[in-house]
Amino acid sequence: MDAIVLLREDHKTVERLFKRFEKTDDDDLTERRAIADEVIEELTVHAWIEEQVFYPAARDAAPDTTDHILESIEEHHAVVWMLSELKTMDPADERFKAKMSVLMENVRHHVEEEEQEWFPDVRKAMGRNRLTEVGKQLEAEKDKAPRDPLAVPSAASK
């Protein structure tokens, strides 16, 4: 599968989870916890594969996207930090829903920037064959990626 198609599919999966969370009632704590846990795993894996495989390949093929990639890495750092807090937070905590809302805003902003501002440039620079190669690498890395944000090395240590 083409790398950008794979990443967009991940984005859609997370957006569906966000919409499910937004439809929950305040007393639906078990459902909120379950959805949050799915979001945590999906986003942890997604950020990992982007940083380990896609961003280096994109930067290589389209050096003009470097600033976007560096900003995206910092956005990931903030998201992983929020995910690690959500992982250990009780859904009954008055801040749980608010933290999920901030997470959703951040991720939606990040997705919009990637998909609108620089994925098209990367697609042009890489071409179909290279995007398919990178897509296979992304799929392979998904199997090895951490699912727990607490297991992700800090961006500050990079």
Side-chain angles (χ1 to χ4, degrees):
M1 176 185 299
D2 170 317
I4 292 174
V5 171
L6 183 146
L7 296 174
R8 283 178 182 255
E9 288 299 317
D10 283 358
H11 293 166
K12 288 177 190 170
T13 296
V14 171
E15 181 59 31
R16 282 191 294 272
L17 291 168
F18 287 168
K19 286 184 191 251
R20 273 184 49 208
F21 187 90
E22 289 170 331
K23 289 178 182 174
T24 61
D25 293 323
D26 286 339
D27 60 347
D28 226 347
L29 301 181
T30 304
E31 179 70 3
R32 282 188 177 171
R33 174 81 266 160
I35 295 167
D37 288 343
E38 284 185 66
V39 167
I40 289 165
E41 183 172 328
E42 290 288 337
L43 287 176
T44 301
V45 169
H46 181 79
W48 179 263
I49 67 171
E50 277 190 329
E51 288 186 32
Q52 298 303 309
V53 176
F54 185 72
Y55 291 172
R59 192 173 184 179
D60 214 29
D64 290 351
T65 64
T66 295
D67 287 344
H68 288 293
I69 291 167
L70 293 173
E71 183 180 325
S72 290
I73 290 168
E74 294 307 316
E75 289 171 348
H76 282 184
H77 180 67
V79 164
V80 169
W81 177 64
M82 283 186 278
L83 294 174
S84 66
E85 289 188 340
L86 279 165
K87 179 141 180 96
T88 59
M89 186 178 268
D90 186 326
D93 186 309
E94 68 180 358
R95 292 174 42 232
F96 188 84
K97 182 180 174 187
K99 191 171 293 290
M100 275 295 291
S101 293
V102 171
L103 173 73
M104 290 186 283
E105 288 171 15
N106 278 284
V107 170
R108 286 171 170 152
H109 166 80
H110 173 81
V111 165
E112 183 179 341
E113 281 187 343
E114 278 187 344
E115 291 187 358
Q116 304 302 316
E117 294 180 24
W118 62 277
F119 275 8
D121 294 336
V122 172
R123 178 170 292 292
K124 278 185 217 160
M126 279 192 181
R128 184 181 316 162
N129 291 340
R130 181 68 179 129
L131 282 169
T132 301
E133 284 174 28
V134 173
K136 288 177 185 170
Q137 292 171 348
L138 290 170
E139 287 174 356
E141 190 66 29
K142 270 190 177 193
D143 294 335
K144 299 182 277 183
R147 268 114 179 100
D148 182 344
L150 298 170
V152 176
S154 168
S157 65
K158 292 182 181 176

PDB file of all heavy atoms in Angstrom, residues 59 62-75 113 117-118:
ATOM      1  N   ARG A  59      11.752  13.483   4.167  1.00  0.00           N
ATOM      2  CA  ARG A  59      12.784  14.528   4.246  1.00  0.00           C
ATOM      3  C   ARG A  59      13.860  14.311   3.193  1.00  0.00           C
ATOM      4  O   ARG A  59      14.365  15.263   2.598  1.00  0.00           O
ATOM      5  CB  ARG A  59      13.374  14.520   5.645  1.00  0.00           C
ATOM      6  CG  ARG A  59      14.230  15.695   5.957  1.00  0.00           C
ATOM      7  CD  ARG A  59      14.631  15.691   7.412  1.00  0.00           C
ATOM      8  NE  ARG A  59      15.377  16.878   7.716  1.00  0.00           N
ATOM      9  CZ  ARG A  59      15.847  17.180   8.907  1.00  0.00           C
ATOM     10  NH1 ARG A  59      15.624  16.378   9.932  1.00  0.00           N
ATOM     11  NH2 ARG A  59      16.527  18.282   9.111  1.00  0.00           N
ATOM     12  N   ALA A  62      11.997  15.028  -0.297  1.00  0.00           N
ATOM     13  CA  ALA A  62      11.474  16.402  -0.446  1.00  0.00           C
ATOM     14  C   ALA A  62      12.069  17.284   0.652  1.00  0.00           C
ATOM     15  O   ALA A  62      11.387  17.595   1.634  1.00  0.00           O
ATOM     16  CB  ALA A  62       9.960  16.396  -0.392  1.00  0.00           C
ATOM     17  N   PRO A  63      13.339  17.686   0.504  1.00  0.00           N
ATOM     18  CA  PRO A  63      13.994  18.479   1.559  1.00  0.00           C
ATOM     19  C   PRO A  63      13.245  19.770   1.924  1.00  0.00           C
ATOM     20  O   PRO A  63      13.383  20.254   3.048  1.00  0.00           O
ATOM     21  CB  PRO A  63      15.370  18.795   0.968  1.00  0.00           C
ATOM     22  CG  PRO A  63      15.586  17.786  -0.111  1.00  0.00           C
ATOM     23  CD  PRO A  63      14.219  17.400  -0.611  1.00  0.00           C
ATOM     24  N   ASP A  64      12.435  20.278   1.015  1.00  0.00           N
ATOM     25  CA  ASP A  64      11.663  21.492   1.305  1.00  0.00           C
ATOM     26  C   ASP A  64      10.618  21.263   2.399  1.00  0.00           C
ATOM     27  O   ASP A  64      10.077  22.225   2.942  1.00  0.00           O
ATOM     28  CB  ASP A  64      10.942  22.000   0.046  1.00  0.00           C
ATOM     29  CG  ASP A  64      11.909  22.573  -0.984  1.00  0.00           C
ATOM     30  OD1 ASP A  64      13.108  22.730  -0.655  1.00  0.00           O
ATOM     31  OD2 ASP A  64      11.469  22.839  -2.109  1.00  0.00           O
ATOM     32  N   THR A  65      10.331  20.009   2.719  1.00  0.00           N
ATOM     33  CA  THR A  65       9.345  19.712   3.757  1.00  0.00           C
ATOM     34  C   THR A  65       9.971  19.606   5.149  1.00  0.00           C
ATOM     35  O   THR A  65       9.267  19.340   6.119  1.00  0.00           O
ATOM     36  CB  THR A  65       8.592  18.394   3.451  1.00  0.00           C
ATOM     37  OG1 THR A  65       9.518  17.305   3.491  1.00  0.00           O
ATOM     38  CG2 THR A  65       7.889  18.453   2.097  1.00  0.00           C
ATOM     39  N   THR A  66      11.268  19.834   5.251  1.00  0.00           N
ATOM     40  CA  THR A  66      11.976  19.653   6.525  1.00  0.00           C
ATOM     41  C   THR A  66      11.333  20.425   7.674  1.00  0.00           C
ATOM     42  O   THR A  66      11.144  19.887   8.764  1.00  0.00           O
ATOM     43  CB  THR A  66      13.464  20.024   6.380  1.00  0.00           C
ATOM     44  OG1 THR A  66      14.065  19.087   5.475  1.00  0.00           O
ATOM     45  CG2 THR A  66      14.189  19.984   7.704  1.00  0.00           C
ATOM     46  N   ASP A  67      10.994  21.687   7.465  1.00  0.00           N
ATOM     47  CA  ASP A  67      10.373  22.470   8.547  1.00  0.00           C
ATOM     48  C   ASP A  67       9.050  21.852   8.998  1.00  0.00           C
ATOM     49  O   ASP A  67       8.759  21.801  10.191  1.00  0.00           O
ATOM     50  CB  ASP A  67      10.152  23.924   8.122  1.00  0.00           C
ATOM     51  CG  ASP A  67      11.449  24.715   8.065  1.00  0.00           C
ATOM     52  OD1 ASP A  67      12.467  24.256   8.637  1.00  0.00           O
ATOM     53  OD2 ASP A  67      11.452  25.799   7.444  1.00  0.00           O
ATOM     54  N   HIS A  68       8.257  21.384   8.029  1.00  0.00           N
ATOM     55  CA  HIS A  68       6.986  20.729   8.373  1.00  0.00           C
ATOM     56  C   HIS A  68       7.238  19.454   9.181  1.00  0.00           C
ATOM     57  O   HIS A  68       6.532  19.180  10.156  1.00  0.00           O
ATOM     58  CB  HIS A  68       6.196  20.359   7.109  1.00  0.00           C
ATOM     59  CG  HIS A  68       5.605  21.527   6.399  1.00  0.00           C
ATOM     60  ND1 HIS A  68       4.603  22.294   6.936  1.00  0.00           N
ATOM     61  CD2 HIS A  68       5.872  22.057   5.175  1.00  0.00           C
ATOM     62  CE1 HIS A  68       4.275  23.253   6.086  1.00  0.00           C
ATOM     63  NE2 HIS A  68       5.033  23.133   5.015  1.00  0.00           N
ATOM     64  N   ILE A  69       8.239  18.703   8.775  1.00  0.00           N
ATOM     65  CA  ILE A  69       8.551  17.450   9.467  1.00  0.00           C
ATOM     66  C   ILE A  69       9.018  17.731  10.891  1.00  0.00           C
ATOM     67  O   ILE A  69       8.567  17.075  11.841  1.00  0.00           O
ATOM     68  CB  ILE A  69       9.590  16.641   8.671  1.00  0.00           C
ATOM     69  CG1 ILE A  69       8.946  16.125   7.370  1.00  0.00           C
ATOM     70  CG2 ILE A  69      10.149  15.485   9.514  1.00  0.00           C
ATOM     71  CD1 ILE A  69       9.912  15.583   6.352  1.00  0.00           C
ATOM     72  N   LEU A  70       9.893  18.714  11.059  1.00  0.00           N
ATOM     73  CA  LEU A  70      10.376  19.045  12.402  1.00  0.00           C
ATOM     74  C   LEU A  70       9.229  19.516  13.297  1.00  0.00           C
ATOM     75  O   LEU A  70       9.151  19.148  14.472  1.00  0.00           O
ATOM     76  CB  LEU A  70      11.483  20.097  12.325  1.00  0.00           C
ATOM     77  CG  LEU A  70      12.777  19.622  11.656  1.00  0.00           C
ATOM     78  CD1 LEU A  70      13.739  20.787  11.484  1.00  0.00           C
ATOM     79  CD2 LEU A  70      13.417  18.478  12.419  1.00  0.00           C
ATOM     80  N   GLU A  71       8.323  20.307  12.747  1.00  0.00           N
ATOM     81  CA  GLU A  71       7.151  20.744  13.511  1.00  0.00           C
ATOM     82  C   GLU A  71       6.269  19.545  13.868  1.00  0.00           C
ATOM     83  O   GLU A  71       5.773  19.439  14.989  1.00  0.00           O
ATOM     84  CB  GLU A  71       6.346  21.764  12.698  1.00  0.00           C
ATOM     85  CG  GLU A  71       5.152  22.318  13.438  1.00  0.00           C
ATOM     86  CD  GLU A  71       4.355  23.325  12.624  1.00  0.00           C
ATOM     87  OE1 GLU A  71       4.951  24.090  11.844  1.00  0.00           O
ATOM     88  OE2 GLU A  71       3.122  23.331  12.779  1.00  0.00           O
ATOM     89  N   SER A  72       6.118  18.626  12.932  1.00  0.00           N
ATOM     90  CA  SER A  72       5.308  17.434  13.182  1.00  0.00           C
ATOM     91  C   SER A  72       5.897  16.581  14.306  1.00  0.00           C
ATOM     92  O   SER A  72       5.156  16.042  15.131  1.00  0.00           O
ATOM     93  CB  SER A  72       5.184  16.597  11.909  1.00  0.00           C
ATOM     94  OG  SER A  72       4.372  17.259  10.965  1.00  0.00           O
ATOM     95  N   ILE A  73       7.207  16.460  14.334  1.00  0.00           N
ATOM     96  CA  ILE A  73       7.854  15.700  15.410  1.00  0.00           C
ATOM     97  C   ILE A  73       7.555  16.341  16.761  1.00  0.00           C
ATOM     98  O   ILE A  73       7.260  15.640  17.741  1.00  0.00           O
ATOM     99  CB  ILE A  73       9.370  15.576  15.149  1.00  0.00           C
ATOM    100  CG1 ILE A  73       9.619  14.640  13.954  1.00  0.00           C
ATOM    101  CG2 ILE A  73      10.101  15.068  16.397  1.00  0.00           C
ATOM    102  CD1 ILE A  73      11.037  14.656  13.430  1.00  0.00           C
ATOM    103  N   GLU A  74       7.590  17.654  16.823  1.00  0.00           N
ATOM    104  CA  GLU A  74       7.272  18.345  18.083  1.00  0.00           C
ATOM    105  C   GLU A  74       5.800  18.171  18.450  1.00  0.00           C
ATOM    106  O   GLU A  74       5.461  18.013  19.622  1.00  0.00           O
ATOM    107  CB  GLU A  74       7.651  19.825  17.994  1.00  0.00           C
ATOM    108  CG  GLU A  74       9.149  20.058  17.873  1.00  0.00           C
ATOM    109  CD  GLU A  74       9.961  19.358  18.953  1.00  0.00           C
ATOM    110  OE1 GLU A  74       9.567  19.393  20.142  1.00  0.00           O
ATOM    111  OE2 GLU A  74      10.994  18.753  18.624  1.00  0.00           O
ATOM    112  N   GLU A  75       4.925  18.184  17.443  1.00  0.00           N
ATOM    113  CA  GLU A  75       3.508  17.932  17.710  1.00  0.00           C
ATOM    114  C   GLU A  75       3.318  16.516  18.253  1.00  0.00           C
ATOM    115  O   GLU A  75       2.546  16.301  19.192  1.00  0.00           O
ATOM    116  CB  GLU A  75       2.677  18.152  16.441  1.00  0.00           C
ATOM    117  CG  GLU A  75       2.569  19.613  16.046  1.00  0.00           C
ATOM    118  CD  GLU A  75       1.953  19.848  14.686  1.00  0.00           C
ATOM    119  OE1 GLU A  75       1.777  18.891  13.897  1.00  0.00           O
ATOM    120  OE2 GLU A  75       1.647  21.017  14.390  1.00  0.00           O
ATOM    121  N   GLU A 113      -2.613  19.743   8.644  1.00  0.00           N
ATOM    122  CA  GLU A 113      -1.348  20.247   8.108  1.00  0.00           C
ATOM    123  C   GLU A 113      -0.653  19.200   7.244  1.00  0.00           C
ATOM    124  O   GLU A 113      -0.177  19.518   6.149  1.00  0.00           O
ATOM    125  CB  GLU A 113      -0.403  20.666   9.244  1.00  0.00           C
ATOM    126  CG  GLU A 113      -0.722  22.012   9.818  1.00  0.00           C
ATOM    127  CD  GLU A 113       0.324  22.467  10.830  1.00  0.00           C
ATOM    128  OE1 GLU A 113       1.119  21.629  11.330  1.00  0.00           O
ATOM    129  OE2 GLU A 113       0.344  23.664  11.119  1.00  0.00           O
ATOM    130  N   GLU A 117      -0.930  20.450   3.572  1.00  0.00           N
ATOM    131  CA  GLU A 117       0.231  21.291   3.305  1.00  0.00           C
ATOM    132  C   GLU A 117       1.450  20.566   2.766  1.00  0.00           C
ATOM    133  O   GLU A 117       2.185  21.141   1.974  1.00  0.00           O
ATOM    134  CB  GLU A 117       0.620  22.074   4.569  1.00  0.00           C
ATOM    135  CG  GLU A 117      -0.443  23.081   4.972  1.00  0.00           C
ATOM    136  CD  GLU A 117      -0.077  23.854   6.215  1.00  0.00           C
ATOM    137  OE1 GLU A 117       1.120  23.968   6.534  1.00  0.00           O
ATOM    138  OE2 GLU A 117      -1.008  24.348   6.881  1.00  0.00           O
ATOM    139  N   TRP A 118       1.708  19.331   3.223  1.00  0.00           N
ATOM    140  CA  TRP A 118       2.945  18.753   2.716  1.00  0.00           C
ATOM    141  C   TRP A 118       2.877  17.348   2.161  1.00  0.00           C
ATOM    142  O   TRP A 118       3.777  16.930   1.439  1.00  0.00           O
ATOM    143  CB  TRP A 118       4.081  18.945   3.702  1.00  0.00           C
ATOM    144  CG  TRP A 118       3.971  18.318   5.051  1.00  0.00           C
ATOM    145  CD1 TRP A 118       3.317  18.815   6.135  1.00  0.00           C
ATOM    146  CD2 TRP A 118       4.562  17.100   5.483  1.00  0.00           C
ATOM    147  NE1 TRP A 118       3.466  17.971   7.200  1.00  0.00           N
ATOM    148  CE2 TRP A 118       4.238  16.917   6.832  1.00  0.00           C
ATOM    149  CE3 TRP A 118       5.348  16.138   4.853  1.00  0.00           C
ATOM    150  CZ2 TRP A 118       4.653  15.817   7.563  1.00  0.00           C
ATOM    151  CZ3 TRP A 118       5.771  15.039   5.582  1.00  0.00           C
ATOM    152  CH2 TRP A 118       5.428  14.902   6.916  1.00  0.00           C
TER     153      TRP A 118
END
